[in-house]
Amino acid sequence: KNEVEQSPQNLTAQEGEFITINCSYSVGISALHWLQQHPGGGIVSLFMLSSGKKKHGRLIATINIQEKHSSLHITASHPRDSAVYICAWQAYSGGGADGLTFGKGTHLIIQP
Amino acid sequence: KAGVTQTPRYLIKTRGQQVTLSCSPISGHRSVSWYQQTPGQGLQFLFEYFSETQRNKGNFPGRFSGRQFSNSRSEMNVSTLELGDSALYLCASSLTGTSGNTIYFGEGSWLTVV
């Protein structure tokens, strides 16, 4: 059972549109990561969040710990933003942090 | 500085064989974690090492094993390969672990089992 729900699974948008990808998880977490994967496999970490909001360039990530929900926003989207976006969370249990649990990813295509 | 380096990048093995994959983390990073990615299951956590000790292990059979050396380089081994082990194997490094630190991924090792 996948404990990380991402939506939408697929998203096609026009260049310049504001993009939102959502991630919901089921337990208390120590950290949530947003990752970007381009064709060919390489994964880049975009954000690591434990609370609040972070911004980097056109990307914004927010997390609401009480609602167990995080969002990734892309402003002024561009075709080079086309990629798979994956959220992953990490919980504490027993003697420390668990390994990451991943969502199934959002396939984003930005058309010129 | 150099990123996370994984070798080999591509390999083909026969069922029943074993395989060893290598990961060199970013200099100064002491945590290395391994992941399997398949079209059906997506990304799954295999294990995490910190200072030569396995800190966490995912839900994989004992055929999957790993180790970390004193220079933080890590290897993972899969014995008695099965067709279902065909996947992209990714390693990632971080300063002290995936909780509270940015993680940096290697390009991955593409394993095909025939």
Side-chain angles (χ1 to χ4, degrees):
Chain A
K1 175 187 165 195
N2 194 300
E3 299 166 24
V4 182
E5 297 296 331
Q6 263 190 256
S7 63
Q9 288 189 350
N10 298 283
L11 177 58
T12 300
Q14 296 298 311
E15 183 174 356
E17 287 189 35
F18 181 82
I19 304 298
T20 296
I21 300 170
N22 296 298
C23 177
S24 296
Y25 51 92
S26 56
V27 299
I29 65 169
S30 64
L32 185 138
H33 298 259
W34 280 102
L35 310 172
Q36 179 192 57
Q37 186 171 32
H38 281 283
I43 295 179
V44 174
S45 175
L46 298 175
F47 296 101
M48 190 280 300
L49 294 161
S50 55
S51 64
K53 176 180 176 178
K54 287 189 176 180
K55 184 176 189 292
H56 184 260
R58 295 180 295 106
L59 301 177
I60 303 167
T62 63
I63 189 168
N64 185 315
I65 299 297
Q66 288 73 29
E67 295 185 5
K68 295 184 172 60
H69 181 268
S70 177
S71 294
L72 175 69
H73 306 285
I74 305 174
T75 62
S77 59
H78 190 276
R80 64 175 174 266
D81 297 326
S82 298
V84 177
Y85 293 83
I86 303 166
C87 73
W89 61 261
Q90 185 161 29
Y92 278 119
S93 70
D98 290 343
L100 292 173
T101 299
F102 296 88
K104 292 197 176 295
T106 295
H107 290 73
L108 174 66
I109 298 172
I110 305 296
Q111 295 178 335
Chain B
K1 61 185 171 183
V4 179
T5 304
Q6 289 188 245
T7 57
R9 290 293 320 280
Y10 304 91
L11 65 166
I12 300 174
K13 290 286 188 179
T14 304
R15 270 184 302 174
Q17 287 186 316
Q18 73 165 10
V19 66
T20 299
L21 308 178
S22 178
C23 175
S24 292
I26 291 172
S27 177
H29 286 191
R30 295 166 62 192
S31 168
V32 173
S33 49
W34 288 90
Y35 306 90
Q36 182 196 64
Q37 186 175 34
T38 60
Q41 297 297 319
L43 272 163
Q44 294 182 280
F45 168 73
L46 280 159
F47 24 67
E48 181 186 6
Y49 288 88
F50 178 77
S51 293
E52 302 179 66
T53 300
Q54 186 180 87
R55 191 154 64 178
N56 276 306
K57 190 178 192 306
N59 190 25
F60 278 81
R63 300 184 297 106
F64 292 80
S65 63
R67 58 178 175 168
Q68 186 180 33
F69 302 96
S70 58
N71 62 357
S72 294
R73 190 178 70 85
S74 177
E75 289 180 348
M76 67 162 283
N77 183 276
V78 187
S79 62
T80 318
L81 284 165
E82 301 176 359
L83 295 179
D85 297 333
S86 295
L88 175 64
Y89 291 88
L90 291 153
C91 85
S93 77
S94 60
L95 279 170
T96 59
T98 53
S99 180
N101 292 278
T102 299
I103 49 181
Y104 298 85
F105 285 83
E107 292 295 311
S109 293
W110 290 90
L111 171 65
T112 301
V113 181
V114 297

